[in-house]
Amino acid sequence: MLSITAAPVSASADAVLSALTAAGVGAYFDPEERVIFAHPAAVAQDSVLHGEHIMLSWSAFGPDSPHQDRARFEATAWIPDGRPDFHQLGTVYTTPVRRALTAEAEQCARAVDEWFSSPRPTAGALLLGALAEYGIRADSDDVGMSYAVAFDPETPSWNVRSGFHLSVGDRDPSVDHVPASHTGWTVFVHDDQGEPIGDPLYIAGSGGLVDCAGDSAAVAAVIADFLSAPVSRHCDCYSQERYGRRHDRECNRYRRP
């Protein structure tokens, strides 16, 4: 059985610090906690824990493992919540699939840099922009997990999920994650009871990282094609599937991209 141990501090910490520095992020290693604290470059080190900051931890397979250079990162954002307590703001980055430590450090550093950017970019914003190019409105569930797109564009926002609609979310699931931590959009068709129907209409990637801009453009094109298909054919085949009969896979409103 493969054992997992902490990567050598001297080598791995230097690699992570170098990646953060290259991304324009301030950071320092805490030898007591054995983690790295990242912060906006303009913030002095002795003031980091007085404001919003990101804590990075990582692990790697032991040196005797054939996968010794496969690392896993986790970065979480925190703010002071009355000394000595802190409140967690959210997850900035979590390794979806283990990769070489250097590659993972660079990807995590990009996510940290995006988190500290003002305004902060989000995968959801890229998706909304891509959908807007087709004149499509997507409504949030208000908890940052998914968007809903109504079949009928005249449906008011508050009622979208009460009728037939599409749900769009990340594999995580999330829509508020930074683009650098995107793992692929997934789209499901839902009936007027909110239940998903059949296989995903669209699903990107295989669990690893996916280019968010390209994925958002691709899923927007699929959604636009789906919504422009003949409504009568769509309603007929989905009403059949809801009552347990085989769905018509030739329906162009159900085809995979």
Side-chain angles (χ1 to χ4, degrees):
M1 178 180 294
L2 297 177
S3 62
I4 298 178
T5 61
V9 173
S10 59
S12 61
D14 285 346
V16 179
L17 290 170
S18 295
L20 290 166
T21 300
V25 177
Y28 68 92
F29 178 71
D30 186 320
E32 182 176 346
E33 299 291 338
R34 297 178 67 85
V35 297
I36 284 178
F37 289 104
H39 55 89
V43 176
Q45 182 172 320
D46 58 1
S47 300
V48 169
L49 300 184
H50 297 164
E52 182 177 346
H53 56 276
I54 294 175
M55 183 174 68
L56 285 78
S57 59
W58 64 97
S59 63
F61 284 92
D64 296 329
S65 165
H67 306 288
Q68 59 178 301
D69 196 25
R70 292 294 182 267
R72 181 184 185 279
F73 277 72
E74 182 172 359
T76 53
W78 300 81
I79 56 172
D81 190 24
R83 298 178 68 87
D85 297 324
F86 294 89
H87 171 72
Q88 184 173 336
L89 290 175
T91 300
V92 178
Y93 180 80
T94 300
T95 298
V97 177
R98 285 180 179 269
R99 298 188 298 166
L101 187 143
T102 300
E104 270 302 291
E106 292 174 351
Q107 188 69 29
C108 185
R110 283 193 287 272
V112 170
D113 178 50
E114 289 179 345
W115 183 273
F116 284 136
S117 297
S118 181
R120 181 181 302 156
T122 66
L126 290 180
L127 173 64
L128 292 178
L131 289 171
E133 294 187 11
Y134 295 93
I136 297 173
R137 186 192 84 224
D139 296 289
S140 171
D141 60 7
D142 296 325
V143 293
M145 294 184 66
S146 67
Y147 287 113
V149 178
F151 287 3
D152 180 0
E154 301 301 320
T155 303
S157 296
W158 57 268
N159 201 39
V160 169
R161 295 178 190 267
S162 297
F164 277 74
H165 64 277
L166 303 176
S167 67
V168 188
D170 185 65
R171 287 171 174 269
D172 193 26
S174 166
V175 296
D176 290 335
H177 56 284
V178 294
S181 63
H182 184 61
T183 57
W185 295 121
T186 302
V187 180
F188 280 94
V189 178
H190 294 258
D191 64 19
D192 52 5
Q193 302 300 311
E195 296 297 323
I197 300 174
D199 298 328
L201 178 71
Y202 175 94
I203 186 167
S206 57
L209 295 166
V210 174
D211 175 66
C212 189
D215 189 29
S216 297
V219 73
V222 170
I223 290 174
D225 179 69
F226 180 93
L227 295 177
S228 65
V231 174
S232 59
R233 176 72 179 279
H234 162 78
C235 291
D236 288 345
C237 64
Y238 273 115
S239 65
Q240 291 173 13
E241 182 162 327
R242 287 183 63 196
Y243 292 99
R245 283 178 282 183
R246 184 176 179 81
H247 178 71
D248 181 0
R249 298 288 171 166
E250 296 302 317
C251 172
N252 63 341
R253 295 205 69 169
Y254 196 70
R255 68 188 181 196
R256 299 174 71 87

